Amino acid sequence: MAFTPSNMNTFRTPTPLNYVDPADPAHIGHVSSPTSKPYKLNSNRISELTHASTADDVTAAIKRAQNLKDAGDIRVIGDFLMNEVDDSFAYGYKGSILARYAVAALRVEDYENAHKAIEMRKERFASSMTPFESAAILRGVLRLGRVSEAFGILEDELSVEDGNKDRLKHRALALASIVSRHFFENEPKVAVKACKLLEDMGPAVKKAGLEAKDLDMPWFRILAGADQCKIANSGTSYDSAVLGAVLEFPLDPNFQEVFDRAGQSNKR
């Protein structure tokens, strides 16, 4: 999944990446060497990363490496970003760049470097982490089959917080991804677990004033996944688990299929 850090316009600066405010003690111990070697890339547009590179250069290099699945460049960019550039990178947005990098590394199945970036982001930039970034990382981790880690990110970075609409939205969508993926992969235990978490957070979603149009939950895909899983498991129905979640959320009044199924379930 393509990922774009928030406030990209902030990155549009010619200031070198190694800029450090000498008056800021927070960056002591994280200053880069001005004489370090260049980091060679396969790209014609950005052939190397140096201390003259801008945040835009690094972001563009990550995007190219992800789109072309260039694992070599992913490793080089990770080395530059995590070992060469100090914490003042991009004027407070290094955490967002690390998130972008982690998603790209997960896309090329470089879990080792992705994990390093995820941990650095959490340890040094926790105060600036956004739900959108956390959800993107969670999906990348999930794509590699690391279910326990995905649930860990869910609870660490996307926990239920009353009134926080953005976090509630991205937690709900992340859980929907878990449900859908695991129904289609015939792993109903994980899907049902995620359904229960959706059901539990439903009241907080409604209390926050989120509407169906704000969330755009993929209920039709989830129901299709539940149907496919039912066929693969000798007719075992998962409608009660799915509907338990669905009916706790604000719904489009035209979503007739859910209400039809709910009525059928009540008759049984």
Side-chain angles (χ1 to χ4, degrees):
M1 175 180 291
F3 170 79
T4 304
S6 56
N7 298 317
M8 281 297 295
N9 287 335
T10 307
F11 299 147
R12 304 190 185 286
T13 170
T15 305
L17 294 177
N18 62 320
Y19 170 78
V20 176
D21 182 352
D24 186 352
H27 302 303
I28 294 175
H30 299 299
V31 180
S32 305
S33 167
T35 58
S36 62
K37 66 179 181 180
Y39 290 73
K40 299 291 186 180
L41 301 174
N42 295 321
S43 170
N44 291 326
R45 177 186 169 196
I46 302 173
S47 59
E48 64 181 22
L49 297 174
T50 71
H51 280 274
S53 300
T54 66
D56 271 345
D57 293 334
V58 177
T59 302
I62 292 171
K63 182 177 180 179
R64 175 201 168 276
Q66 177 177 342
N67 289 342
L68 297 181
K69 297 185 178 180
D70 189 333
D73 274 9
I74 287 291
R75 288 192 293 271
V76 172
I77 296 165
D79 189 16
F80 180 77
L81 186 59
M82 291 183 280
N83 299 319
E84 187 68 25
V85 180
D86 57 68
D87 284 1
S88 66
F89 172 57
Y91 295 99
Y93 285 91
K94 182 175 180 179
S96 287
I97 296 293
L98 284 169
R100 175 68 176 88
Y101 173 80
V103 171
L106 290 167
R107 175 61 73 175
V108 301
E109 301 186 2
D110 184 350
Y111 176 76
E112 180 179 355
N113 278 311
H115 182 70
K116 289 178 182 177
I118 291 167
E119 289 300 305
M120 178 180 282
R121 171 178 174 264
K122 184 164 60 176
E123 290 171 4
R124 299 188 188 177
F125 304 97
S127 63
S128 63
M129 294 192 306
T130 69
F132 174 78
E133 296 165 356
S134 298
I137 292 171
L138 183 151
R139 290 187 182 92
V141 168
L142 195 64
R143 193 178 295 112
L144 295 187
R146 294 179 176 269
V147 178
S148 295
E149 187 172 345
F151 276 110
I153 293 171
L154 185 79
E155 298 309 327
D156 288 344
E157 302 180 22
L158 293 169
S159 57
V160 174
E161 181 179 325
D162 285 347
N164 188 330
K165 291 185 177 183
D166 197 39
R167 183 183 289 190
L168 288 167
K169 172 183 176 179
H170 287 291
R171 177 184 173 86
L173 291 172
L175 279 167
S177 293
I178 294 173
V179 174
S180 175
R181 175 176 290 273
H182 286 87
F183 272 141
F184 279 109
E185 292 180 352
N186 194 24
E187 296 182 12
K189 288 184 178 180
V190 177
V192 169
K193 176 182 177 180
C195 281
K196 184 61 170 66
L197 290 174
L198 278 171
E199 181 179 349
D200 291 345
M201 70 175 291
V205 169
K206 290 179 179 177
K207 183 179 178 181
L210 286 164
E211 299 179 5
K213 63 182 180 180
D214 301 319
L215 297 166
D216 195 22
M217 295 288 285
W219 297 126
F220 282 115
R221 179 168 173 76
I222 288 173
L223 288 167
D227 285 344
Q228 179 173 306
C229 201
K230 176 180 178 179
I231 294 170
N233 288 278
S234 304
T236 301
S237 176
Y238 303 101
D239 276 2
S240 60
V242 175
L243 293 172
V246 172
L247 297 175
E248 286 294 333
F249 272 69
L251 293 177
D252 184 328
N254 295 321
F255 194 14
Q256 191 62 46
E257 181 175 355
V258 169
F259 296 106
D260 290 345
R261 289 203 187 194
Q264 292 168 11
S265 294
N266 289 334
K267 292 176 183 178
R268 287 198 289 265

